């Protein structure tokens, strides 16, 4: 997949089949758009392309909004490539760009700069300053500007449209199973193993402290059953997101106990797949009660069918 940033070095005139959006999560709704895009590009001998924005426009409009994303940029790039996209345009949502109205965006960007011949948009897609562009405008301009446009219907889950917001909401309450169903794959978090307080090793449960991307959304505080990937090997694990209230912790950490594992992995990059929610974060009366619960969680994790 070819990655083009800000159009600066893009001077090709390759005719494109394009879709536009944040594609945060590259969930089942996005995948439906991509399948349509790939089918059109193959049928019409066009290159498939996605135009997305980095950083997220909400961080520009609402700089105080502590927005967390389903995908890091690397994750989103990987998922789009995996789904068959040939060109990825990463556009910074700068002042000049955000001031383009819908019609200017179509003429200057889609037609003149990118040579779009077929455009696929989602059911609720809007664009341009003050959301002045929509499917109705695209349909009106398509004949004059020499491109075709199609709108893809929403994909539903439990009678609701799948969206990045719905998935964030599911993760915010610890419902990783529902989030995974809407994503069409298993939600994961990656990061380097860093030094922690090393309390776990004193009670028989040494954990790997994961330093993840600060923009990456972590599920709700609590304990989870996870798959852990270390040095291309897969293990079962029990992961905790929280502040370790039993030992009077006060900073948020993501720690994973890896079953049947005893290696020094400080500095290693690891990733975890969230498979099930075990329980809320608990402040136990004492360390003994904590160990009892860890023993119980370990049994549940060991017996979990991956």
């Amino acid at each position: 997949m070819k990655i083009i940033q800000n159009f600066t070095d893009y001077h090709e005139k390759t005719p494109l089949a394009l879709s536009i959006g944040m594609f945060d999560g590259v969930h089942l709704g996005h995948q439906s758009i991509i399948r349509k895009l790939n089918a059109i590009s193959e049928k019409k001998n066009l290159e498939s392309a996605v135009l997305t924005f980095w950083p997220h426009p909400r961080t520009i409009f609402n700089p105080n909004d502590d927005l967390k994303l389903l995908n890091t940029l690397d994750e989103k790039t990987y998922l789009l490539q995996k789904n068959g996209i040939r060109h990825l345009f990463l556009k910074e949502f700068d002042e000049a760009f955000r001031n383009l109205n819908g019609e200017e965006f179509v003429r200057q960007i889609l037609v003149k700069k990118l040579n779009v011949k077929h455009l696929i948009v989602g059911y609720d897609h809007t664009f341009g300053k003050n959301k002045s562009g929509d499917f109705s405008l695209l349909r009106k301009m398509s004949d004059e500007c020499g491109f075709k446009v199609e709108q893809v219907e929403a994909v539903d889950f439990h009678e609701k449209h799948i969206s990045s917001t719905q998935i964030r909401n599911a993760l915010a309450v610890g419902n990783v199973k529902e989030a995974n169903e809407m994503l069409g794959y298993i939600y994961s978090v990656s990061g380097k193993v860093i030094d922690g307080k090393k309390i776990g090793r004193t009670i028989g449960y040494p954990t790997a402290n994961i330093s993840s991307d600060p923009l990456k959304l972590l599920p709700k505080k609590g304990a989870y059953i996870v798959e852990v990937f270390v040095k291309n090997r897969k293990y079962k694990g029990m992961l905790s997101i929280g502040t370790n209230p039993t030992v009077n912790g006060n900073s948020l950490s993501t720690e994973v106990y890896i079953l049947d594992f005893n290696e020094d992995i400080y500095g290693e990059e690891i990733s975890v797949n969230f498979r099930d929610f075990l329980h809320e974060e608990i402040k136990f009366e004492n360390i003994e009660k904590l160990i009892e619960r860890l023993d119980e969680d370990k049994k549940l994790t060991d017996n979990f069918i991956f």
Side-chain angles (χ1 to χ4, degrees):
M1 182 171 69
K2 188 179 289 187
I3 299 172
I4 302 99
Q5 293 190 329
N6 284 324
F7 316 143
T8 311
D9 300 319
Y10 186 74
H11 306 291
E12 296 179 31
K13 286 300 173 186
T14 307
L16 299 178
L18 179 92
S19 187
I20 314 162
M22 272 309 300
F23 285 85
D24 186 32
V26 194
H27 53 62
L28 290 178
H30 296 139
Q31 291 169 40
S32 171
I33 292 171
I34 293 169
R35 279 195 301 275
K36 182 74 173 173
L37 192 64
N38 289 337
I40 289 293
S41 64
E42 188 173 342
K43 182 180 177 183
K44 296 192 171 184
N45 197 27
L46 303 171
E47 291 284 298
S48 62
V50 161
L51 167 57
T52 191
F53 307 100
W54 197 267
H56 197 294
R58 264 175 61 184
T59 63
I60 307 297
F61 290 115
N62 303 300
N64 296 323
D65 184 1
D66 186 26
L67 177 67
K68 301 297 183 187
L69 301 175
L70 299 172
N71 294 147
T72 65
L73 182 54
D74 284 347
E75 288 169 349
K76 178 158 63 172
T77 301
Y78 166 77
L79 288 165
L80 290 171
Q81 183 170 20
K82 184 182 176 185
N83 280 276
I85 295 301
R86 302 289 298 276
H87 290 73
L88 175 60
F89 295 97
L90 291 174
K91 182 72 184 80
E92 183 183 355
F93 210 75
D94 55 30
E95 195 67 25
F97 192 80
R98 68 186 282 189
N99 281 319
L100 292 175
N101 64 35
E103 189 169 330
E104 289 168 337
F105 175 77
V106 172
R107 293 188 192 282
Q108 294 178 30
I109 305 299
L110 298 186
V111 177
K112 187 176 179 182
K113 190 69 183 175
L114 302 183
N115 194 25
V116 172
K117 294 300 180 186
H118 205 110
L119 185 65
I120 310 283
V121 294
Y123 70 97
D124 60 348
H125 184 70
T126 58
F127 59 95
K129 188 174 183 180
N130 300 322
K131 297 185 178 180
S132 52
D134 57 13
F135 183 65
S136 168
L137 177 70
L138 290 170
R139 197 162 46 185
K140 190 171 113 180
M141 295 185 69
S142 60
D143 286 342
E144 177 199 341
C145 295
F147 65 87
K148 298 290 183 187
V149 60
E150 292 183 60
Q151 191 173 44
V152 175
E153 291 302 312
V155 175
D156 285 353
F157 177 78
H158 291 175
E159 300 181 351
K160 287 184 179 177
H161 295 340
I162 292 177
S163 68
S164 305
T165 299
Q166 289 288 355
I167 296 166
R168 289 191 199 104
N169 291 343
L171 292 171
V173 296
N175 196 340
V176 293
K177 284 187 170 181
E178 188 171 290
N180 291 341
E181 287 189 67
M182 289 189 281
L183 285 166
Y185 60 89
I186 301 169
Y187 193 69
S188 67
V189 169
S190 301
K192 193 170 281 190
V193 177
I194 58 172
D195 275 322
K197 293 182 179 177
K198 300 181 173 64
I199 294 169
R201 66 174 60 181
T202 67
I203 58 173
Y205 284 94
T207 59
N209 239 31
I210 304 172
S211 173
S212 58
D213 189 313
L215 284 176
K216 175 79 174 183
L217 177 67
L218 294 174
K220 173 187 180 176
K221 287 181 185 178
Y224 296 84
I225 294 174
V226 296
E227 290 169 295
V228 189
F229 295 87
V230 185
K231 299 177 182 177
N232 297 317
R233 297 194 302 272
K234 182 169 72 172
Y235 302 89
K236 291 182 177 182
M238 38 203 259
L239 178 138
S240 166
I241 299 172
T243 59
N244 298 308
T246 305
V247 292
N248 299 314
N250 53 22
S251 59
L252 188 72
S253 64
T254 305
E255 302 175 45
V256 61
Y257 170 74
I258 308 170
L259 276 64
D260 304 314
F261 185 84
N262 186 25
E263 293 181 31
D264 181 353
I265 52 172
Y266 285 112
E268 291 286 342
E269 191 83 15
I270 70 171
S271 63
V272 295
N273 283 352
F274 287 84
R275 299 304 299 266
D276 205 359
F277 183 69
L278 282 166
H279 56 77
E280 309 269 346
E281 182 177 47
I282 304 169
K283 181 171 184 177
F284 295 94
E285 298 170 26
N286 50 51
I287 293 294
E288 288 70 28
K289 294 287 185 187
L290 169 60
I291 294 171
E292 281 177 23
R293 189 55 193 250
L294 288 169
D295 290 342
E296 188 180 327
D297 288 351
K298 185 179 179 182
K299 282 179 189 172
L300 291 169
T301 302
D302 210 18
N303 293 330
F304 187 84
I305 307 299
F306 285 86

